[in-house]
C-alpha cells in the first residue's frame, strides 16, 4: 500500500541541526514532487519546502530559506530535509507529502494538491 514515513525528528538546542527523512513506497515515486509542511500547536499548517520530480528543483519558504536544504534520492525513494541553525520557532510536527504537480507552480504549498501524506515527526527546538 501507499506509504510515506517520516523519521529523524527529536529535541535539539537552538542553533542545532536535524535531518528529516521521508521514505516512500507503493506508488510511482519518480513522477511525484515532494513537499514538507509543518504545523505548530495552535497554528495553521504551513509549507516549508518542495522538491520537483522533473528536475530536482527546490523551493523554500522565506522563514527557512538559507537554513534548510531539501534533497531526494530516487534510488532509495527517499527525500531528506537538512535543517540547520534551528530556532525555537521551528518547533512543529513536520509532514512530508507527495504531489503530481511541479513545485514551480505558485500553489506548490496548497495541501489539497497533495495525494499522499506521512504521519508526521515532531521537531522541538528548546534549550
Amino acid at each position: 500500500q501507499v506509504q510515506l514515513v517520516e523519521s529523524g525528528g527529536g529535541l535539539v538546542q537552538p542553533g542545532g541541526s536535524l535531518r528529516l527523512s521521508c521514505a516512500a513506497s507503493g506508488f510511482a515515486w519518480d513522477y511525484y514532487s515532494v513537499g514538507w509542511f509543518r504545523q505548530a500547536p495552535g497554528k495553521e499548517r504551513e509549507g516549508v519546502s518542495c522538491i520537483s520530480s522533473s528536475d530536482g528543483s527546490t523551493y523554500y519558504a522565506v522563514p527557512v530559506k538559507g537554513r534548510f536544504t531539501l534533497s531526494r534520492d530516487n534510488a532509495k525513494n527517499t527525500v531528506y530535509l537538512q535543517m540547520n541553525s534551528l530556532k525555537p520557532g521551528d518547533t512543529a510536527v513536520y509532514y512530508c507529502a507527495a504531489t503530481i504537480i511541479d513545485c514551480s507552480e505558485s500553489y506548490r504549498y496548497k495541501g489539497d494538491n497533495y495525494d499522499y501524506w506521512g504521519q508526521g515527526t515532531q521537531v522541538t527546538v528548546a534549550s
Side-chain angles (χ1 to χ4, degrees), residues 60-101:
Y60 301 94
V62 169
V64 307
K65 200 166 188 177
R67 300 187 297 122
F68 289 13
T69 303
L70 188 55
S71 61
R72 67 189 290 163
D73 184 340
N74 284 342
K76 296 183 178 179
N77 283 14
T78 301
V79 164
Y80 303 99
L81 183 66
Q82 178 67 42
M83 306 187 297
N84 298 330
S85 302
L86 283 163
K87 306 174 182 179
D90 295 317
T91 296
V93 177
Y94 283 71
Y95 301 89
C96 66
T99 177
I100 204 70
I101 72 164

Side-chain angles (χ1 to χ4, degrees), residues 18 35 82 113 123:
L18 282 174
Q82 178 67 42
N113 291 324
V123 171

Side-chain angles (χ1 to χ4, degrees), residues 4-7 20-22 34-40 44-49 70 79 81 92-98 114 116-123:
L4 283 176
V5 180
E6 302 97 334
S7 61
L20 305 184
S21 299
C22 172
V34 176
W36 280 92
F37 297 78
R38 66 186 183 185
Q39 188 165 22
E44 291 190 356
R45 184 180 62 201
E46 63 173 342
V48 172
S49 184
L70 188 55
V79 164
L81 183 66
V93 177
Y94 283 71
Y95 301 89
C96 66
Y114 285 76
Y116 309 120
W117 290 81
Q119 81 290 349
T121 186
Q122 176 70 47
V123 171

